[in-house]
Each structure stands twice: as C-alpha cells, then as structure tokens.
Amino acid sequence: MTQEIQKTLRDSAAMRWTALLLLALAMFCSYIFMDILSPIKDLMQEYRGWDSTAFGTMQGSEVFLNVFVFFLIFAGIILDKMGVRFTAVLSAAVMLTGAIVKWYAVTDYFTGSSLEVWFNNNLNYIPVFDELGVSPFYEGMPASAKFAACGFMIFGCGCEMAGITVSRGIVKWFKGREMALAMGSEMALARLGVATCMIFSPFFAKLGGNISVSRSVAFGVVLMCIALIMTIVYFFMDKKLDSQTGEAEEKDDPFKISDLGQILTSSGFWLVALLCVLYYSAIFPFQKYAVNMLQCNLTLVEPSQDSFWASSSVTIVQYVIMLVVAAAGFASNFQKVKRNQLILLAFSIISLITYCYMGYMRQSAESIFAVFPLLAVLITPILGSYVDHKGKAASMLILGSVLLIACHLTFAFILPLFKDSAVGGIIIAYATILVLGSSFSLVPASLWPSVPKLVDAKVIGSAYALIFWIQNIGLWLFPLLIGKVLDKSNPGVTDPTKFDYTAPLIMLASLGVAALLLGFVLKAVDKKKGLGLEEPNIK
C-alpha cells in the first residue's frame, strides 16, 4: 500500500514542495525586476529626466500588451494547450528578453545613440490609442522612457504568463492536498522580491559613490537569467511527473474557444475577477510610488558618510536579518512541537525589530518600505492552512479590503501629521506598511485557491488568464493615473521629495471601498449558489 501511495513525485511531499520552490524562486526574481526602478524614482527624475507622468506611463506599460493586444488571453490558451512546463520556460525567456531591452534603455550607451534620436522623433502619436487616451507613449516623453516601456511591455507579457502558469502548476501538484498553503507560501516567497528590490536597487545604483541607474536594472537582468534556469529544472520535474501518471495536458481533452463560455457565464468568476482587479490595483501601483511617498512624508537625515549606517556593508547585514525574519517566521508555522514554534516565532519578531531599528538608523525610505512583505511571510502559511482546513475564503477577502482602506487613509492623513517627528513618523510608517503587507497575504491564501471551485479543470489556465487580463487593466491604468494625479495636484513642484500624495492615496483607498462592497456581494452569492468558497479545500 505504501509503495502504491509513493509511486509518483506528486505523492512525495518533498518533491511537490521542491517543484513549488522552483516556481516560487522564478517569481521571486520577476518580482524584483518588476519594481526595480521604484525605489530610485527620484534618481530617474534627476539623471534621466523622467517626471512623475513619464515614470507612471513607463511603469504602466508593463501590462499594455496583455490588456490591449489580449496577450494574456493567448497565454492562457497556450497554457491549456501546451501545458505548464513548456509555458513556464517560454515565460521566463520572454521576461529575460524584455529585461535586457529595458536595461539598455537606461544605460549611457543609449544616451546620444541613433536609437535615442529615433525614439525622440517617433512614437509621439499612436493612431486610435491616442484618441482613446490609452497610448503607452506621448509627445515629450523622454526617449529612454519610451524604449524602457517597450522592454517592460515584453517583460510584462512573460511575467503575467508566468503568473498564470505558476497558479496552474500549483493546482496540478497540490490539488486535493494543501493547495491554499502552497499558493500562499509561493506568494510569500515571491513577495520577498519586493523587499530585495527595495534594498538592493538603490544599493547598486549608488555603489562606489558613482550613481548609475543602469546598474540596478543589470542586477535584475542577472536574476532573470536565474529565473530561466529555475523553470528549466522544473521542466524536467514536471515531465517526469507526467511520465509517471500518464497525464498529457496538451492532448487529453484539448482546449476549445467555446469552453470560454463556461467561464464567462459564472457570476462567481466575475466577482472574484473584479475583486482581484480592485485589490491588486490598490497595491502594485502603490508599490511603484511608495518609496517616494515616504520620502515626501518623513523627515529623513542621511547619516554621516564615515559611519557604519552609510556604508555598503550595512545593506548586506540588513538583508541577512530580513532573510532571518522571513525564514524563522515561515518555519514556525510548520513546527509540531509548540516550544519550537514559539522559539522560532520569538526569534523572528526580535529579528524584525532589529531590522526596523537598522532602517531607522539608515534614514532610508527604501529600507523602511522593504519591511512590506515580512509580516505577510509569517502569516500567509497560517491563513493558507486555515483556508485549507476551515474555509472562509470570502470572509478573508472582506477583511483584506478593510485593512487596505485603513492603510491608505493612514498614509494620506495621519502620516503627514508626523512629518516633523523623526521617530513617530517612522513608527507609523513601519506599522502601516506591515499591516498593508499582511492584508495583501489574504488574497493568495483565499482568492486564487477559489478559482478551481468555479470552473472546469480543463479551463483553469484560461480562467486564471482572464482574471489576470482583467487585473492587468488596473495595473496598466493606475500607475499612469497616480503619476498624472501627482503632477496635477503638485503644480510647479520640481523637487521629487516635496510632492503631496494625498489625492493619489484617497484614490487608492476608494478602490478598497469598492472591493469591500464586492466582497459582501460575493459572500451572498456564495451562500445562495453554494459555490463552496467558504468551505475548506481539504475535506
């Protein structure tokens, strides 16, 4: 009987979690590159001439092809027809290609080149898209921002394809097992990429006292090479699994366009998709401006250049402590002995306090915001395990929306009141960022594992693709809107540390209000139609 149970890789806990780790590491690298310029927005304005509108337009371009050329829909079809392993490698290769283009756009090699001249003279008017007000370029946009936007579009195609592929891969390896825990754990690890980006992007840009924004992007390109290697290793694991089970995703029960009707006629699907776009639109675009928002609302005094807090070594030390926080907190969830669990949890909390103290001593906005995913890493496995065994996914989405609203309103109205308080402002910033990060962990633990309950197994890839496509509309629109609102509400402001962020933050909080209302509707529909969203995954 034991031999029968252990006959496939999927039946081995070690093997299926190894498969998850490979996918999560690839997404970890992609999350770093996704926000690689976010913590150095001020440097992009100073050294490349990108104002908030140019910065926001470039950042929003990541999802342009996914939304307006419907690439994500095609990605879902590719995933359903070709399978997880092929699509995983393809997505990593596409991300790497886009990353290289974006890197070249911000290098000194591009400055003064014939390519820069061409971008200055072209792409100032895009028929139809300009009339609709959705063009990814505009007249007067810096050439480097235009070319970087082109690379970011390519990267975005691969990144979103990777997102739906990872979700489908987790369903394949964990369905009927600890699926919510797996999805939550994957996102927890991937979101450490946000902290890594916030710490190391400014580190590489300022390395050696000579500022170069291209070094930060080059760091991201190296990581995308690693992501490609991770997906290739996963390819062979997944192929071995299929040879053991006799599964062949791309041949048995092939995808048909008519199958999309099953998805589009599901009210539960549409509610989950709309919740997703509202929630993610209030988080991901905010991440791209969060460091600059903190720079504008905190009184930060750079430490003396000859002190430890201004040295490059402090960056490495703080990052190691961050990893200790994440590892100890994450591991505490899997301890069967209560004493060991409490020891790890206490060690994680002490390390977190140490990390926050170092961020305060460094007087660095990017170092402060890097704390964003750390509490999420601790509680995501708890939430995932709870959904697996107890359910209540729809209720968790409602809670996440409430926390989201509270955090953005705190940033808008309370944090500025403490601008003159060197300690008070940073304490409020840390607390709010940690709560915002924890609210974000409610989504992967509750929303993504709910999708297989709403659609047929053979169209899960397309269902995730449609949700990601709808989500990408918000991810394209809101970075652009934040940049425009920021410039409009701060006329004549040229110092990137003097912006008033109240209007953009109120806009983001309103998305949380809409998500909260939809959460109540989803819970009512689930109760009426018996979708099973409040039921546990493991029965």
Side-chain angles (χ1 to χ4, degrees), residues 48-61 64 118-126 129-130 133-147 149 153 289 476 479-480 483-484 487:
R48 289 296 181 264
W50 296 12
D51 61 12
S52 293
T53 299
F55 184 82
T57 303
M58 192 287 302
Q59 294 283 42
S61 68
F64 181 82
W118 189 91
F119 272 92
N120 274 323
N121 297 331
N122 294 277
L123 300 181
N124 295 313
Y125 171 75
I126 311 295
F129 289 106
D130 266 282
V134 297
S135 176
F137 314 107
Y138 61 87
E139 189 171 2
M141 184 176 181
S144 58
K146 287 182 185 177
F147 193 37
M153 288 180 200
Y289 291 87
W476 159 76
L480 176 62
K484 291 192 176 210
D487 279 338

Side-chain angles (χ1 to χ4, degrees), residues 167-435:
S167 297
R168 173 68 177 269
I170 293 174
V171 171
K172 178 177 181 178
W173 283 78
F174 285 87
K175 190 170 184 179
R177 297 175 175 86
E178 55 279 88
M179 186 164 64
L181 176 61
M183 287 192 172
S185 300
E186 180 271 323
M187 287 307 299
L189 177 58
R191 283 177 187 147
L192 280 177
V194 178
T196 304
C197 171
M198 296 301 159
I199 290 176
F200 281 105
S201 179
F203 171 78
F204 284 109
K206 301 173 183 178
L207 191 64
N210 177 31
I211 294 179
S212 172
V213 294
S214 65
R215 280 199 299 263
S216 296
V217 186
F219 166 64
V221 171
V222 171
L223 292 175
M224 294 320 304
C225 293
I226 295 173
L228 179 58
I229 294 171
M230 294 296 101
T231 58
I232 291 173
V233 175
Y234 173 83
F235 179 96
F236 290 104
M237 279 194 69
D238 192 82
K239 187 175 182 180
K240 177 67 173 177
L241 175 64
D242 280 358
S243 69
Q244 292 176 333
T245 62
E247 295 175 2
E249 297 170 305
E250 63 273 22
K251 295 178 182 178
D252 296 348
D253 204 7
F255 172 86
K256 302 182 183 67
I257 294 294
S258 59
D259 291 333
L260 289 176
Q262 299 177 28
I263 303 172
L264 299 177
T265 54
S266 169
S267 59
F269 167 82
W270 279 109
L271 287 170
V272 167
L274 290 174
L275 267 168
C276 180
V277 68
L278 289 169
Y279 203 90
Y280 275 66
S281 294
I283 295 287
F284 281 121
F286 170 71
Q287 286 179 188
K288 300 180 187 303
Y289 291 87
V291 170
N292 187 232
M293 184 274 294
L294 292 175
Q295 290 170 337
C296 296
N297 286 293
L298 296 174
T299 300
L300 301 172
V301 180
E302 289 190 13
S304 173
Q305 290 302 309
D306 58 355
S307 71
F308 168 73
W309 303 111
S311 67
S312 57
S313 59
V314 71
T315 301
I316 307 299
V317 173
Q318 194 175 20
Y319 187 66
V320 170
I321 293 175
M322 185 198 78
L323 293 179
V324 171
V325 173
F330 189 79
S332 69
N333 291 284
F334 301 92
Q335 299 301 310
K336 295 181 180 180
V337 179
K338 191 70 174 178
R339 179 174 173 273
N340 293 343
Q341 183 183 43
L342 293 175
I343 289 174
L344 283 172
L345 185 59
F347 187 57
S348 178
I349 293 173
I350 292 171
S351 300
L352 177 60
I353 294 172
T354 303
Y355 175 91
C356 292
Y357 172 75
M358 294 185 71
Y360 166 72
M361 292 301 295
R362 292 184 65 188
Q363 293 287 288
S364 163
E366 55 269 20
S367 180
I368 292 170
F369 187 71
V371 79
F372 175 69
L374 295 188
L375 188 57
V377 173
L378 172 62
I379 70 172
T380 297
I382 299 174
L383 296 174
S385 180
Y386 186 86
V387 172
D388 281 331
H389 294 92
K390 302 293 184 180
K392 305 299 180 183
S395 299
M396 284 192 178
L397 291 174
I398 292 173
L399 176 60
S401 299
V402 171
L403 294 176
L404 179 69
I405 297 166
C407 289
H408 282 312
L409 292 180
T410 299
F411 284 133
F413 297 109
I414 297 178
L415 185 61
L417 298 178
F418 289 82
K419 183 174 176 62
D420 295 329
S421 174
V423 177
I426 290 180
I427 290 175
I428 289 175
Y430 269 134
T432 310
I433 292 166
L434 284 168
V435 172

Side-chain angles (χ1 to χ4, degrees), residues 107-119:
T107 62
D108 292 335
Y109 301 110
F110 179 78
T111 305
S113 67
S114 58
L115 196 57
E116 181 185 37
V117 174
W118 189 91
F119 272 92

